[in-house]
Amino acid sequence: MGTVLASLSLAVALISVWFTSEALRRAESHGDAVVKPHLRNVNARIQESRSLIDEIDSRLRRIEQQVEVLKIDHRAANALDDQTKDLRKSLDQARDFVPTRVMSA
């Protein structure tokens, strides 16, 4: 009698484990079906954000290069301005030259 009850209780326990596993599998697949569309939307937005960030990064790099070129041009313009001032000073000094003796022929 005890063996029969033990066998019966073992069968009921195995059936309850089987029902539980089936219920969990169905709930899990239902949960995935609910979550996956939302994940697709999130992944799409992440991809859009990444592409925008990459585009902004490339634009920023180009702007930095242009700023460097402008800095170089500005330095060259300042150097040219200094050279022009030096030339004007020397020309003004040459114009202001007055001979100390007047020689007549």
Side-chain angles (χ1 to χ4, degrees):
M1 174 89 164
T3 307
V4 171
L5 283 175
S7 298
L8 198 58
S9 65
L10 180 63
V12 168
L14 289 175
I15 289 172
S16 68
V17 168
W18 179 74
F19 276 129
T20 305
S21 67
E22 283 295 314
L24 286 175
R25 186 175 54 86
R26 288 182 184 174
E28 189 175 296
S29 66
H30 178 68
D32 287 345
V34 170
V35 172
K36 280 185 181 179
H38 296 295
L39 289 178
R40 276 189 228 121
N41 291 337
V42 169
N43 285 335
R45 299 252 172 128
I46 288 172
Q47 289 295 74
E48 289 174 8
S49 298
R50 283 183 183 168
S51 65
L52 285 174
I53 288 171
D54 290 341
E55 182 181 342
I56 289 171
D57 186 47
S58 67
R59 285 182 181 178
L60 185 60
R61 287 175 196 249
R62 279 185 277 155
I63 288 171
E64 286 175 346
Q65 289 173 351
Q66 290 173 355
V67 166
E68 287 298 319
V69 168
L70 288 175
K71 283 182 181 179
I72 292 169
D73 289 346
H74 180 67
R75 286 187 213 126
N78 284 342
L80 186 62
D81 192 31
D82 292 339
Q83 289 174 358
T84 305
K85 286 179 184 176
D86 291 340
L87 285 174
R88 284 188 181 167
K89 276 185 189 178
S90 64
L91 284 175
D92 287 341
Q93 288 174 354
R95 284 186 193 146
D96 291 340
F97 176 73
V98 176
T100 56
R101 279 194 202 169
V102 176
M103 307 281 271
S104 57

